[in-house]
């Protein structure tokens, strides 16, 4: 296994290649296609009716809640990764501690479900 | 760092990119043909023999369409969204092992682009960045349908990412490493006396199911395709897109389908290992065994791509509350239970 920085160079190469391909394709298709614009055509699509208000409207706060909960839970999931990799060395001791940790995670989940944070109508 | 190393990796990157594009291109064709046969009709069969040139015709059409930018204050973000989505879709393949070692005239070539020891974290990280592509694209469109689609897509993808991360943890407890190459190599061991059959699916059936469901949700495939639910949202986050930018959004979905099939095959179905891999290596030759391994891996990948299409024409779309309930109230507790079961089993058996 390569632990040095050298192991990451091919990823950088692939990134540069992928980004170059994407940029070039967008640029080429931009020059190939026709361009005809008019005020009506450039307007945003709303099923053919007149535009009604601004598209930057506030959306349901539930989505924001989901995002906040994701941050909380994902951070806790990240804590589990180093433990999982070293699971065999830590044995029963590590297992019991992690059961406690995951128990608290589940209590938190139970709490947000009871608080109806994930209730959609 | 030697030049030969860079050349070797450069060729590999090009080949993998070519294969990815080819498979994604023909998945669009395959999707339509599979759909057609499921519905008792023929599907595209006019362009070329048996309709085989259909994806090329579609590509040329996409290219020559007008590159339309709607009336939005965020023109650069409007272009940046699909570009980011496509770039991240093309990036994940760099840490996956496509085969064992190949010996070409005494020069040993490993069939993976980068073997980093945090490969699984890299994959999860790149998948998360993909969410930004959809969100930026949908928001910059300055369209209510696109905004709703983007918000739905991002909250769906982040919800299922938690369960996906948790389902992989049970697998990591078994393997003890984050390197995908090592996880694939470990599965070449013996299972019930057959070499090359120590696939993780036999040890992690529940983890595999959770991962599969999450993979469907992460790629926005039916039954989780609410972000582009045509009946409610016109086209979802790509309503305002046209030309190659729309092409990127659609195409990246097929690429992520291919990549997630490859991840499923590598993590749970033995990757490039197949029954009797040692016998072939001893009796016919290590190079033949490696090439056969690559073929087997792609057979597994194509099966899973077919599985994606199969599910699409079998299950109807979820409602939004059902989607959220499944992700948070069922999959996350189930994944934690799976971790505890796996841990107890490992400790008891050792």
């Amino acid at each position: 296994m390569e632990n040095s920085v050298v192991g990451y160079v091919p990823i950088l190469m692939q990134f540069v290649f992928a980004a170059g391909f994407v940029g070039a394709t967008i640029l080429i298709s931009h020059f190939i296609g026709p361009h005809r614009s008019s005020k009506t055509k450039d307007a945003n699509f709303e099923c053919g009716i007149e535009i009604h208000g601004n598209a930057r409207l506030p959306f349901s706060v539930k989505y924001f809640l989901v995002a906040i909960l994701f941050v909380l839970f994902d951070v806790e999931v990240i804590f589990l990764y180093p433990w999982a990799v070293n699971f065999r060395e830590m044995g029963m001791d590590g297992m019991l501690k992690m059961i406690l940790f995951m128990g608290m995670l589940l209590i938190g989940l139970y709490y947000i479900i009871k608080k109806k944070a994930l209730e959609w109508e | 760092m030697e030049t030969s190393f860079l050349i070797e990796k450069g060729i590999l990157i090009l080949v993998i990119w070519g294969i990815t594009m080819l498979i994604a291109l023909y998945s669009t064709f395959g999707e339509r043909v599979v759909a057609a046969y499921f519905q008792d009709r023929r599907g595209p069969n006019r362009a070329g023999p048996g309709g085989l040139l259909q994806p090329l015709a579609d590509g040329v059409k996409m290219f020559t369409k007008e590159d339309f930018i709607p009336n939005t204050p965020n023109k650069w973000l409007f272009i940046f969204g699909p570009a980011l989505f496509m770039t991240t879709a093309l990036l994940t393949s760099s840490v996956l092992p496509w085969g064992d070692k190949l010996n070409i005239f005494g020069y040993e070539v490993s069939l993976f682009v980068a073997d980093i020891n945090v490969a699984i974290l890299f994959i999860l990280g790149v998948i998360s960045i993909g969410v930004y592509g959809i969100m930026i694209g949908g928001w910059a469109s300055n369209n209510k349908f696109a905004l709703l689609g983007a918000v739905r897509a991002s909250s769906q993808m982040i919800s299922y990412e938690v369960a996906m991360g948790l389902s992989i943890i049970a697998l990591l407890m078994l393997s003890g490493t984050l390197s995908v190459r090592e996880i694939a190599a470990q599965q070449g061991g013996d299972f019930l006396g057959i070499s090359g059959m120590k696939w993780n699916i036999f040890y992690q059936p529940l983890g595999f199911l959770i991962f599969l469901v999450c993979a469907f949700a992460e790629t926005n495939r039916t039954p989780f395709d609410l972000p582009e639910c045509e009946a409610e949202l016109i086209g979802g986050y790509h309503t305002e897109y046209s030309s190659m930018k729309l092409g990127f959004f659609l195409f990246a979905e097929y690429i992520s389908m291919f990549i997630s099939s490859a991840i499923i095959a590598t993590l749970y179905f033995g990757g490039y290992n197949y029954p009797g891999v040692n016998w072939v290596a001893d009796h016919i030759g290590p190079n033949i065994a490696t090439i056969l391994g690559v073929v087997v891996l792609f057979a597994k990948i194509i099966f899973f791509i077919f599985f994606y299409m199969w599910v699409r024409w079998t299950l109807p779309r979820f409602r939004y509350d059902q989607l959220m309930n499944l992700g948070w109230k069922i999959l996350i507790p189930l994944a934690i239970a799976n971790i505890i079961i796996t841990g107890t089993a490992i400790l008891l058996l050792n």
Side-chain angles (χ1 to χ4, degrees):
Chain A
M1 183 180 296
E2 247 171 311
N3 287 317
S4 58
V5 186
V6 179
Y8 292 85
V9 171
I11 293 184
L12 189 69
M13 283 164 67
Q14 183 149 354
F15 174 72
V16 170
F17 178 74
F21 164 73
V22 169
T25 315
I26 286 187
L27 213 63
I28 292 170
S29 80
H30 179 77
F31 285 118
I32 286 182
H35 287 280
R36 289 175 213 98
S37 61
S38 72
K39 198 161 178 276
T40 330
K41 187 181 169 188
D42 285 355
N44 299 101
F45 181 74
E46 283 201 8
C47 304
I49 55 170
E50 295 266 314
I51 297 175
H52 197 80
N54 196 341
R56 302 273 183 263
L57 46 106
F59 46 83
S60 172
V61 72
K62 293 279 179 191
Y63 291 107
F64 178 71
L65 257 180
V66 170
I68 291 285
L69 292 177
F70 162 73
V71 173
L72 284 176
F73 275 84
D74 217 36
V75 167
E76 291 178 51
V77 169
I78 289 298
F79 281 131
L80 288 172
Y81 274 86
W83 168 74
V85 173
N86 299 312
F87 176 71
R88 280 170 206 272
E89 286 99 272
M90 289 158 106
M92 192 49 104
D93 195 34
M95 182 74 200
L96 288 176
K97 281 173 185 159
M98 265 307 159
I99 285 181
L100 205 65
F101 179 75
M102 285 184 287
M104 285 192 229
L105 199 76
L106 282 178
I107 292 172
L109 188 67
Y110 181 74
Y111 176 74
I112 56 170
I113 289 171
K114 277 287 139 194
K115 273 279 176 191
K116 297 199 164 67
L118 296 167
E119 221 47 45
W120 298 77
E121 308 161 311
Chain B
M1 204 177 346
E2 315 96 65
T3 329
S4 65
F5 172 78
L6 287 182
I7 294 173
E8 176 199 324
K9 296 300 180 197
I11 293 173
L12 257 174
I13 289 171
L14 275 180
V15 169
I16 291 172
W17 172 79
I19 292 174
T20 309
M21 295 308 259
L22 200 72
I23 287 192
L25 212 58
Y26 274 91
S27 303
T28 63
F29 175 66
E31 171 103 64
R32 295 167 69 181
V33 171
V34 168
Y37 277 91
F38 270 86
Q39 297 164 356
D40 203 15
R41 54 188 175 86
R42 292 232 166 184
N45 61 355
R46 293 304 160 93
L52 271 178
L53 295 179
Q54 185 67 39
L56 289 180
D58 287 343
V60 170
K61 190 197 85 175
M62 279 281 183
F63 244 110
T64 48
K65 284 283 170 184
E66 176 175 350
D67 191 17
F68 171 71
I69 294 180
N71 187 12
T72 158
N74 311 89
K75 292 216 162 42
W76 284 107
L77 285 181
F78 184 79
I79 299 169
F80 184 64
L84 183 69
F85 195 47
M86 184 70 174
T87 313
T88 52
L90 283 170
L91 209 55
T92 329
S93 60
S94 60
V95 292
L96 293 179
W98 301 97
D100 213 349
K101 287 186 174 62
L102 206 58
N103 200 330
I104 304 172
F105 306 119
Y107 186 74
E108 213 159 67
V109 181
S110 305
L111 294 181
F112 51 81
V113 173
D115 175 26
I116 54 174
N117 52 5
V118 289
I120 294 223
L121 290 181
F122 177 82
I123 291 173
L124 287 175
V126 170
I127 290 173
S128 320
I129 295 175
V131 183
Y132 285 96
I134 292 181
M135 192 66 213
I136 291 173
W139 186 78
S141 297
N142 198 18
N143 180 312
K144 285 162 203 153
F145 294 116
L147 180 71
L148 284 176
V151 169
R152 275 192 189 184
S154 22
S155 83
Q156 166 185 335
M157 282 166 97
I158 61 177
S159 295
Y160 279 77
E161 218 170 87
V162 177
M164 186 184 236
L166 282 170
S167 71
I168 295 182
I169 283 173
L171 182 73
L172 297 179
M173 288 159 73
L174 274 174
S175 65
T177 174
L178 281 167
S179 156
V180 184
R181 187 190 61 80
E182 274 188 35
I183 292 174
Q186 281 169 2
Q187 296 179 70
D190 290 358
F191 181 75
L192 300 177
I194 312 166
S195 72
M197 274 303 278
K198 205 184 170 212
W199 297 359
N200 285 327
I201 173 75
F202 301 126
Y203 301 91
Q204 284 292 320
L206 184 60
F208 162 68
L209 266 180
I210 300 169
F211 189 84
L212 187 73
V213 173
C214 294
F216 272 78
E218 291 287 319
T219 45
N220 293 335
R221 290 286 303 184
T222 331
F224 300 101
D225 65 340
L226 287 103
E228 45 195 293
C229 180
E230 13 353 66
E232 302 165 18
L233 294 179
I234 321 295
Y237 54 87
H238 51 62
T239 304
E240 291 286 351
Y241 280 93
S242 69
S243 182
M244 217 47 208
K245 293 206 280 291
L246 172 68
F248 277 161
F249 269 132
L250 302 180
F251 208 60
E253 192 184 309
Y254 283 94
I255 292 179
S256 30
M257 213 163 102
F258 165 64
I259 295 293
S260 64
S261 299
I263 294 172
I264 291 171
T266 311
L267 291 186
Y268 290 97
F269 282 84
Y272 49 77
N273 293 299
Y274 49 93
V277 57
N278 289 347
W279 189 87
V280 176
D282 290 342
H283 289 77
I284 304 176
N287 269 355
I288 305 288
T290 304
I291 292 169
L292 209 58
V294 177
V295 173
V296 166
L297 174 63
F298 275 94
K300 288 171 188 170
I301 293 173
I302 287 169
F303 170 75
F304 277 108
I305 293 179
F306 170 72
F307 186 72
Y308 269 99
M309 296 165 185
W310 189 4
V311 169
R312 174 169 180 185
W313 299 106
T314 308
L315 296 177
R317 184 182 290 139
F318 281 128
R319 234 175 31 228
Y320 203 79
D321 58 327
Q322 294 171 330
L323 172 98
M324 282 293 162
N325 279 347
L326 179 67
W328 286 94
K329 294 180 191 165
I330 299 175
L331 289 184
I332 290 180
L334 215 57
I336 290 181
N338 186 39
I339 293 173
I340 293 174
I341 294 169
T342 311
T344 321
I346 293 175
L347 287 178
L348 287 182
L349 293 180
N350 279 4

